[in-house]
């Protein structure tokens, strides 16, 4: 237990002391939140396009923010692997699960506070734009967003374990773009329908935003909330297991 | 019981034998140096002894425990300072030590005690609150070594500890290492003959993965018929290399 705590504290400090993490994990999502809100103001009502309205946008940006936590997870892991830091840690009594839990937990906490900040900003925007946002729904949605955070963080762990610090961010940026569009953060697949919607529905990202959005609106129907959140939890579980397994095998290979 | 014992310890990479069937015994509390030219297999030997690399053949024992089957127990009693400095960059010196200590100890008081102790041995107090990435190479190295020592290991591996240190820093580190002598078993690799001569109880000379000679400085002088460790090393190394050709 003390090993995991020590290692997560170290990882948390490494990330929170890197100014780049604030630019990507906070400033960028907040800027997007503002730009999209301004954009939304210029969309005519008749267009009936609501993805950029703050009650939809807030949870979309929250998920978007999580993708950058994924990026920083992958960077931390790949950097540790490329230098001799992780090798040195291998010679301590730390086990593979201590490493994976130690990488994942601080990122979950960082992602939680990131979402809190994004939601506070969203709330301010909702007041300015005079859109009703349910505070209870938002608070609940912060918890509902956690499986999605775990999924993205495990993607980061997976890429950081498999690739070096040059290729891992590249792969993460693919996931970032995929989730931005196919996760319906910056694009409304539900009203577009057709093949595009099918593609969205075949990837987990769509369900991350969908479940969080439904939660903000206190819509707990099966189609809007329950099925999507179950899919997200399942994806998080799969990626959690996969990334831990891959880390463990890589560690074994490193020590061969 | 010997602190370290190897039996035909061998490491082969695809088409290269990095360590070739070495037999070593190092007594408890001894400071044992591994000398050898670049690529001789010193780091590979240390990696196998500290569980960072699995031997292709042969066996190694630390305090009587097999590196094959008891590596989890061994990890509690060893410390390693890798050839490349390995510290957490964004953490301060103190936080790095705290981090390492927290892996071995749960009790805050014990942890602080260990930090104070190691900080004074390595004179780290003046850089205590400095982030590791802003340290000079020498200070980073000292921190890296201090981190290996914080758990007060029974066996300590120092892979080229004084690489890149200036003369004064090297002398200072020698003093720190000398202070540890007898308290733990130390395996040291170095390219500096005067360092090996100054610090070690016994020295092994490795050439192309094999131990060509092993003993005190006097033993090596006698074996080579040369005066001084440097001359003895050159003679043994050259003879060893020509044998391999
Ligand atoms: N992972 C590896 N894969 C293939 N060959 C390796 C690997 N690690 C080491 N070797 C080879 O094994 C040999 C011994 O390397 P090692 O690092 O043990 O030497 P060394 O004595 O520590 O040298 P130096 O003084 O330069 O540090 C070298 O020829 C090296 O190229
Ligand atoms: Mg070496």
């Amino acid at each position: 237990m003390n090993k995991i705590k020590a290692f997560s504290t170290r990882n948390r400090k490494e990330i929170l002391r890197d100014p780049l993490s604030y630019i990507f994990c906070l400033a960028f999502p907040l800027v997007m939140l503002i730009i999209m809100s301004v954009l939304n103001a210029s969309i005519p009502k008749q267009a009936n396009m609501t993805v950029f309205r703050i009650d939809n946008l807030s949870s979309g940006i929250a998920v978007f923010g999580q993708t950058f936590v994924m990026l920083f997870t992958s960077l931390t892991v790949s950097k540790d692997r490329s230098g001799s830091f992780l090798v040195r840690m291998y010679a301590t009594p730390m086990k593979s699960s201590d490493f994976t839990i130690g990488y994942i937990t601080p990122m979950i906490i960082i992602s939680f506070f990131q979402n809190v900040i994004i939601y506070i900003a969203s709330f301010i925007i909702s007041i300015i734009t005079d859109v009703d946002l349910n505070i209870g729904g938002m608070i609940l949605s912060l918890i509902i967003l956690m499986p999605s955070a775990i999924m993205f963080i495990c993607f980061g762990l997976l890429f950081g374990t498999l690739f070096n610090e040059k290729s891992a961010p590249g792969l993460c940026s693919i996931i970032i773009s995929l989730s931005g569009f196919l996760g319906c953060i910056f694009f409304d697949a539900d009203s577009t329908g057709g093949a595009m919607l099918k593609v969205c529905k075949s990837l987990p990202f769509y369900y991350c935003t969908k479940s969080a959005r439904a939660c903000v609106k206190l819509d707990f129907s099966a189609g809007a909330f329950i099925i999507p959140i179950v899919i997200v939890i399942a994806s998080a579980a799969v990626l959690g297991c996969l990334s831990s397994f891959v880390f463990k095998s890589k560690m074994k290979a490193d020590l061969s | 019981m010997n602190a370290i014992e190897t039996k035909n310890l061998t490491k082969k990479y695809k088409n290269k034998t990095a360590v070739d069937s070495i037999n070593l015994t190092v007594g408890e509390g001894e400071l044992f140096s591994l000398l050898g030219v670049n690529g001789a297999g010193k780091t590979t030997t240390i990696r196998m002894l500290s569980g960072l690399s699995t031997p292709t053949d042969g066996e190694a024992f630390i305090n009587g425990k097999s590196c094959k089957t008891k590596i989890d127990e061994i990890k509690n009693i060893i410390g390693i300072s890798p050839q490349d400095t390995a510290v957490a960059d964004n953490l301060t010196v103190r936080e790095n030590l705290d981090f390492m200590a927290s892996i071995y100890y749960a009790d805050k008081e014990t942890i602080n005690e260990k930090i104070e102790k190691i900080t004074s041995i390595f004179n780290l107090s003046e850089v205590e609150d400095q982030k590791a990435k802003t340290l000079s190479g020498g200070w980073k190295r000292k921190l890296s070594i201090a981190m290996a020592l914080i758990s007060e290991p029974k066996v300590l591996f120092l892979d080229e500890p004084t690489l890149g240190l200036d003369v004064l820093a090297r002398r200072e580190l020698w003093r720190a290492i000398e202070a540890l002598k007898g308290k733990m078993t130390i395996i040291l690799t170095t390219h500096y003959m005067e360092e090996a001569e100054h610090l070690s109880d016994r020295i092994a000379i490795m050439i192309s993965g094999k131990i060509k000679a092993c003993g005190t400085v006097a033993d090596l002088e006698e074996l080579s018929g040369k005066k001084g460790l440097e001359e003895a090393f050159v003679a043994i190394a050259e003879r060893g290399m020509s044998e391999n050709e």
Side-chain angles (χ1 to χ4, degrees):
Chain A
M1 213 32 217
N2 56 321
K3 299 187 198 80
I4 297 178
K5 197 171 152 233
F7 193 59
S8 3
T9 307
R10 175 264 169 177
N11 292 331
R12 190 195 70 223
K13 284 180 181 163
E14 287 273 3
I15 296 207
L16 291 183
R17 285 178 189 174
D18 179 359
L20 271 184
S21 11
Y22 295 90
I23 296 176
F24 280 103
C25 296
L26 267 186
F28 191 45
L30 287 176
V31 166
M32 289 305 272
L33 191 70
I34 294 165
I35 292 179
M36 293 302 161
S37 297
V38 171
L39 184 72
N40 185 58
S42 57
I43 297 175
K45 276 242 155 34
Q46 309 84 280
N48 209 6
M49 197 174 136
T50 57
V51 257
F52 299 142
R53 205 176 60 202
I54 197 67
D55 54 339
N56 284 322
L57 186 66
S58 54
S59 15
I61 295 289
V63 173
F64 184 60
Q66 293 178 341
T67 63
F68 288 98
V69 177
M70 160 185 74
L71 174 71
F72 278 86
T73 312
S74 82
L75 273 174
T76 311
V77 179
S78 56
K79 266 191 213 154
D80 283 354
R81 287 183 52 82
S82 68
S84 41
F85 184 77
L86 212 51
V87 172
R88 130 167 261 168
M89 297 315 298
Y90 285 163
T92 69
M94 281 188 60
K95 293 190 175 49
S96 141
S97 57
D98 297 336
F99 286 108
T100 42
I101 301 172
Y103 276 126
I104 294 171
T105 35
M107 302 316 272
I108 297 178
I109 296 165
I110 288 174
S111 175
F112 180 81
F113 283 104
Q114 172 199 45
N115 289 343
V116 169
I117 294 170
I118 289 172
Y119 272 11
I120 291 173
S122 302
F123 189 72
I124 297 169
I125 293 175
S126 81
I127 294 170
I128 298 169
T129 55
D130 200 21
V131 176
D132 268 341
L133 257 186
N134 188 300
I135 295 185
M138 289 182 90
I139 293 173
L140 195 60
S141 150
L142 284 172
I143 298 158
I144 291 307
L145 276 164
M146 286 301 101
S148 144
I150 295 172
M151 179 188 81
F152 282 113
I153 291 162
C154 292
F155 261 120
L157 175 58
L158 186 68
F159 293 152
T161 308
L162 288 174
F163 304 100
N164 64 24
E165 52 188 300
K166 291 202 183 75
S167 353
L171 279 153
C172 286
S173 67
I174 294 176
I175 301 281
I176 293 172
S177 328
L178 276 181
S179 51
F181 290 95
L182 303 180
C184 301
I185 298 171
F186 302 121
F187 165 78
D188 189 1
D190 278 320
S191 58
T192 313
M196 199 61 185
L197 184 60
K198 280 209 180 96
V199 177
C200 292
K201 283 188 165 174
S202 64
L203 291 168
F205 317 121
Y206 170 80
Y207 303 100
C208 299
T209 22
K210 188 161 175 118
S211 56
R213 267 176 195 158
C215 182
V216 169
K217 294 174 187 162
L218 297 175
D219 171 4
F220 298 113
S221 60
F225 179 74
I226 298 176
I227 297 170
I229 193 68
V230 168
I231 295 175
V232 178
I233 292 173
S235 312
V238 169
L239 270 149
C241 296
L242 181 68
S243 58
S244 314
F245 173 77
V246 169
F247 187 90
K248 191 171 182 169
S249 338
K250 266 282 187 184
M251 178 170 166
K252 216 170 161 189
D254 290 341
L255 298 181
S256 71
Chain B
M1 187 172 51
N2 286 314
I4 294 174
E5 201 172 334
T6 73
K7 286 186 185 147
N8 301 323
L9 192 67
T10 303
K11 182 74 191 182
K12 287 190 180 124
Y13 293 110
K14 272 182 202 116
N15 41 20
K16 162 130 203 130
T17 307
V19 174
D20 195 353
S21 193
I22 63 170
N23 292 291
L24 277 179
T25 39
V26 180
E28 217 168 299
E30 200 175 0
L31 199 154
F32 189 89
S33 291
L34 279 173
L35 295 185
V37 293
N38 293 129
K42 305 179 294 293
T43 299
T44 309
T45 305
I46 286 190
R47 284 173 56 90
M48 284 193 282
L49 292 174
S50 51
L52 292 174
S53 174
T54 317
T56 321
D57 225 328
E59 259 193 293
F61 300 88
I62 307 280
N63 273 4
K65 294 181 175 78
S66 161
C67 291
K68 242 184 225 157
T69 55
K70 294 272 166 67
I71 193 65
D72 289 338
E73 284 173 46
I74 292 175
K75 282 179 175 175
N76 278 309
I77 57 162
I78 60 168
I80 177 167
S81 159
Q83 185 165 345
D84 312 305
T85 24
V87 298
D89 275 337
N90 275 322
L91 265 56
T92 65
V93 169
R94 196 185 167 90
E95 285 169 338
N96 264 291
L97 295 171
D98 190 319
F99 161 59
M100 218 51 186
S102 309
I103 287 174
Y104 296 88
Y105 308 101
D107 172 43
K108 198 77 210 138
E109 228 165 89
T110 318
I111 293 172
N112 284 332
E113 211 175 277
K114 307 278 175 197
I115 298 174
E116 298 313 328
K117 199 166 158 192
I118 209 81
T119 307
S120 86
I121 293 178
F122 286 89
N123 291 324
L124 287 166
S125 51
E126 59 179 286
V127 292
E128 205 171 29
D129 297 320
Q130 210 173 317
K131 274 192 196 166
K133 66 174 173 196
T134 66
L135 294 173
S136 75
W139 280 105
K140 235 188 208 175
R141 197 129 259 281
K142 277 210 260 181
L143 172 61
S144 187
I145 296 169
M147 283 165 76
L149 269 165
I150 196 120
S151 60
E152 299 187 356
K154 292 209 166 62
V155 179
L156 174 68
F157 298 98
L158 298 174
D159 201 353
E160 300 194 29
T162 59
L163 183 76
L165 294 193
D166 66 48
V167 183
L168 297 181
R170 173 168 302 145
R171 289 291 161 112
E172 196 191 330
L173 192 58
W174 286 3
R175 277 195 292 275
I177 294 173
E178 278 179 308
L180 299 169
K181 265 186 82 164
K183 293 191 185 124
M184 56 184 75
T185 309
I186 303 176
I187 306 294
L188 176 130
T189 78
T190 181
H191 288 295
Y192 302 102
M193 296 303 141
E194 79 277 19
E195 181 167 304
E197 193 159 7
H198 188 91
L199 294 172
S200 359
D201 298 312
R202 279 192 309 140
I203 296 165
I205 295 177
M206 265 186 108
I207 310 289
S208 318
K210 290 195 182 73
I211 304 254
K212 287 290 173 188
C214 180
T216 60
V217 175
D219 293 340
L220 297 175
E221 283 175 340
E222 197 184 308
L223 190 80
S224 60
K226 294 276 177 359
K227 194 90 200 97
L229 181 61
E230 181 144 358
E231 293 304 317
F233 173 80
V234 170
I236 293 167
E238 280 175 347
R239 197 193 311 153
M241 299 226 235
S242 61
E243 274 169 18
N244 283 339
E245 271 158 20

